[in-house]
Amino acid sequence: MPSSRTLSWHGSRCPAAPPPACALIAARSRACRPPRVPPALSASALLLQVLVTGLLLPLILALSWFILLYFFAGLIIILAIVLFFCCMLAACIWLYGEAGLYTLDALDGCARSLHNCTISTFAASGNGNVQSSYLAVAVVCNVILVAYVLCLCCWRHQISRTIAIVRECTAVFRAVPLLFLCPFIVMFWYAAMSVYLFGIGGYIITQGAAVWDHLTGLMSSQLGKNSTLDESRADFVSNAADSLVSRLSGLSTEAQVAVLLTIHVVGFVWSIFLIHACYYTTIAGTVARWFFASKRDDKPKSFGFGCGVISVSAWCVFYRHLGSMAFGSLVMTIMWFVQAVLHYLDKHTKNQQAANPVLRVVIKCSRCLVWMLYKSIEALNEFGYIFIAIEGCSLCLACRSVFQLLERKGAQVGTNKMVGGILSLIISFSIPSLCAVICFAWVTIEHGDVMPLWPAVAVFASAFLIASGVTEILRCSIDTIFVAAFLDLDAHGEPLYMSDRLMRGFGLPSQSSNEERKKLNVPHGVTCRRRRPTTGVTRAGPETYSADDTRDGRVSHSPHALRVTSL
């Protein structure tokens, strides 16, 4: 029989009650321990943190960026240009060091570890000529750096105009704040198309033979039945259709599935390009409507939150310009398909390229040229969409206007693209990085038993998509405002819709300069120069300004010189 102070538990003997000191220590530990949260509440709190830091916080940070650009656009753009130059210079120095042109004694441990990691990576991949590869990349990076410096020296005046355009873009977001929510719309359509891609793709993989039989039967029953053709031509088309169906029916099951998947993927890519084209044209139409809403001397028009102007722009795209969007998307899809074919050939001819250096050079050069052509057509299409949104023309006429713009203002277009790309790069990586760090710290503090890495990765991906959408709106706004200003000058000679801050950035006389011209009784379009003699104003030749003039115009605001030239 156990004693009164002991109990039997699974055959072992344990005390009936702990000593008083042990009871006190256990009570204190239970009091200091945080209350246990139910798993459902913990998961919901974690999901709320991920949604706040992955959806709401990127919008707040993007708004903060645009507020900073409104007040400090010039300083931020100059710092961004200098930072990009420093990064490229550091990359060149590091690549030349890896190429063996100098020793790594001056580098720290981090650089040494990176060097060892890259060397081991190349050694694992079987590349024995590592330093030659580094040297080639370093030379290319050096050429890009020299070209970048030359562009900065040649485009210094264009950079000041780009600063004014960027500051004007912040005014667009202030007048139409719903532009910040447009990335969510395009993300929804991309997600829907992704569901379509994997759903229909899985169906094709599992039911490939049945789908192929259905399609071939449909082709044989429908092709050749055209009432507009005469009997002989209808028989020829019918025989050609039967021959095509018989040849397709002779393919193996794997080949049939591959053909169906190729058609499915190409259609998916075409749909993605079509969504992007409609989205880009809608943004361009919204910015253009804001620009031409009120004249320079009138009171700025209020758009509320911008729901009306965005809806009108979207309806105009879908109702009038869907054919142009589909055509531009088809061209981009064809270029993407050519790139995919060249990538497939490059991947499956590695052995032949190793034995034949000429074949390797041909394939690599072909991929490079096709990529350059792809990027050129992409930029041409984007400007074409802007002209479609402003002028309401077709894509072919819009592309002709784009070539005229590049012929007359190519330097300014290049500057806008360069500055917009640098700003997009900084904003697109600063916002998701900060959101991921905040999510990591928040999850670590609130949920100590949860690994914070995966929520931070999910937040980084979501914030990156939102930031990329916002920066795409910024780049579209920069190009749209420049094109609208170009058309304003080209149509009226003297700006009619440009604001005073944009005119000052373009080197044109603002409202205050026009008031001074009225006091001096100088007509519009005539340049006056005030000289040092105190006997009145001496005019020096009637020089007019217009958008056709390609000289680099500036306005001198000194008290002894007032000179007006063209854009």
Side-chain angles (χ1 to χ4, degrees):
M1 292 292 294
S3 63
S4 60
R5 296 187 58 85
T6 59
L7 295 174
S8 176
W9 181 58
H10 294 289
S12 62
R13 302 177 67 86
C14 61
C22 297
L24 181 61
I25 294 174
R28 287 181 177 177
S29 63
R30 285 194 300 268
C32 297
R33 187 182 305 167
R36 183 176 179 82
V37 181
L41 295 178
S42 178
S44 61
L46 180 61
L47 180 61
L48 179 62
Q49 292 172 0
V50 172
L51 291 178
V52 169
T53 55
L55 298 179
L56 181 61
L57 187 59
L59 294 178
I60 297 175
L61 294 178
L63 179 62
S64 304
W65 263 108
F66 279 93
I67 292 175
L68 292 176
L69 286 174
Y70 179 77
F71 290 102
F72 310 105
L75 178 62
I76 292 175
I77 290 175
I78 295 301
L79 290 178
I81 291 174
V82 174
L83 178 62
F84 189 74
F85 169 78
C86 294
C87 292
M88 293 185 64
L89 182 62
C92 289
I93 294 174
W94 180 77
L95 288 171
Y96 279 119
E98 295 293 335
L101 296 185
Y102 60 88
T103 60
L104 298 175
D105 296 335
L107 300 180
D108 54 1
C110 180
R112 290 177 180 275
S113 62
L114 182 61
H115 168 75
N116 296 332
C117 179
T118 52
I119 291 296
S120 61
T121 302
F122 276 105
S125 63
N127 189 355
N129 200 2
V130 179
Q131 291 185 348
S132 300
S133 302
Y134 274 118
L135 182 60
V137 177
V139 170
V140 173
C141 186
N142 199 358
V143 171
I144 296 175
L145 180 61
V146 173
Y148 179 73
V149 174
L150 291 177
C151 290
L152 292 180
C153 296
C154 297
W155 296 348
R156 58 188 184 275
H157 299 302
Q158 282 80 5
I159 292 176
S160 62
R161 298 169 189 163
T162 305
I163 292 172
I165 294 174
V166 171
R167 189 176 288 112
E168 195 78 2
C169 291
T170 59
V172 178
F173 281 88
R174 184 178 59 181
V176 190
L178 280 183
L179 284 176
F180 284 103
L181 301 181
C182 289
F184 290 100
I185 301 175
V186 72
M187 286 172 60
F188 168 78
W189 284 107
Y190 286 163
M193 291 305 303
S194 300
V195 172
Y196 163 78
L197 172 68
F198 292 106
I200 303 300
Y203 177 75
I204 290 174
I205 293 174
T206 55
Q207 304 291 331
V211 174
W212 185 266
D213 295 337
H214 175 72
L215 290 179
T216 53
L218 184 64
M219 290 173 59
S220 60
S221 62
Q222 295 296 328
L223 289 178
K225 294 182 179 180
N226 194 341
S227 59
T228 59
L229 299 177
D230 55 12
E231 185 177 357
S232 59
R233 293 182 179 180
D235 293 338
F236 174 77
V237 173
S238 179
N239 294 330
D242 294 337
S243 176
L244 177 62
V245 170
S246 62
R247 291 184 179 182
L248 292 178
S249 301
L251 297 176
S252 62
T253 305
E254 292 78 7
Q256 294 174 1
V257 172
V259 171
L260 290 176
L261 285 178
T262 302
I263 297 173
H264 174 61
V265 172
V266 170
F268 167 77
V269 173
W270 190 3
S271 303
I272 292 296
F273 281 122
L274 179 60
I275 292 172
H276 177 267
C278 296
Y279 170 71
Y280 200 89
T281 311
T282 301
I283 299 300
T286 302
V287 177
R289 280 176 169 80
W290 171 85
F291 185 89
F292 294 107
S294 57
K295 295 183 179 180
R296 180 162 48 91
D297 298 332
D298 298 339
K299 184 179 179 180
K301 184 179 179 181
S302 176
F303 290 94
F305 287 99
C307 182
V309 63
I310 295 176
S311 301
V312 170
S313 300
W315 172 252
C316 183
V317 170
F318 285 101
Y319 181 70
R320 296 185 176 181
H321 307 299
L322 194 59
S324 297
M325 304 297 103
F327 180 69
S329 305
L330 177 61
V331 174
M332 295 299 300
T333 304
I334 293 174
M335 295 305 304
W336 174 87
F337 184 75
V338 173
Q339 280 189 311
V341 170
L342 289 177
H343 177 73
Y344 179 83
L345 293 177
D346 187 15
K347 183 178 179 180
H348 289 79
T349 57
K350 294 294 184 182
N351 297 330
Q352 291 82 353
Q353 294 180 32
N356 190 355
V358 177
L359 178 62
R360 182 180 180 183
V361 171
V362 169
I363 292 180
K364 299 299 182 182
C365 292
S366 300
R367 291 190 63 183
C368 181
L369 291 176
V370 170
W371 178 82
M372 294 172 61
L373 183 61
Y374 172 83
K375 301 302 291 185
S376 301
I377 294 177
E378 182 182 18
L380 181 66
N381 275 352
E382 289 180 352
F383 274 100
Y385 297 151
I386 293 173
F387 275 98
I388 289 174
I390 295 177
E391 297 183 340
C393 56
S394 63
L395 183 61
C396 297
L397 296 179
C399 291
R400 186 184 66 178
S401 301
V402 172
F403 282 114
Q404 294 176 356
L405 175 68
L406 294 176
E407 180 184 0
R408 297 163 65 179
K409 300 298 175 185
Q412 188 63 53
V413 171
T415 306
N416 295 341
K417 286 294 184 182
M418 181 186 69
V419 173
I422 294 175
L423 286 178
S424 300
L425 184 65
I426 294 175
I427 296 175
S428 298
F429 282 96
S430 63
I431 291 178
S433 300
L434 185 58
C435 291
V437 169
I438 293 175
C439 178
F440 190 92
W442 194 3
V443 172
T444 303
I445 294 173
E446 295 292 335
H447 307 276
D449 56 342
V450 177
M451 181 180 292
L453 178 61
W454 299 114
V457 171
V459 166
F460 183 89
S462 175
F464 179 77
L465 291 177
I466 296 174
S468 300
V470 173
T471 53
E472 186 174 12
I473 296 175
L474 175 62
R475 295 195 304 270
C476 179
S477 302
I478 291 174
D479 294 334
T480 304
I481 289 179
F482 172 68
V483 171
F486 173 79
L487 294 177
D488 187 17
L489 285 171
D490 194 35
H492 305 101
E494 183 178 355
L496 188 61
Y497 295 95
M498 295 173 63
S499 62
D500 288 343
R501 56 179 176 271
L502 190 59
M503 291 178 64
R504 288 193 297 267
F506 274 47
L508 296 172
S510 60
Q511 184 67 24
S512 58
S513 300
N514 291 332
E515 293 177 355
E516 185 175 359
R517 296 166 67 91
K518 292 179 181 178
K519 293 179 181 179
L520 297 175
N521 197 17
V522 178
H524 289 286
V526 177
T527 299
C528 66
R529 298 178 185 175
R530 190 178 301 169
R531 300 174 182 252
R532 285 193 178 275
T534 57
T535 58
V537 178
T538 304
R539 297 188 181 179
E543 183 181 5
T544 60
Y545 67 92
S546 65
D548 296 331
D549 193 357
T550 57
R551 289 177 299 175
D552 202 7
R554 286 170 289 174
V555 178
S556 178
H557 296 285
S558 63
H560 298 290
L562 177 63
R563 184 173 183 177
V564 181
T565 56
S566 70
L567 171 56

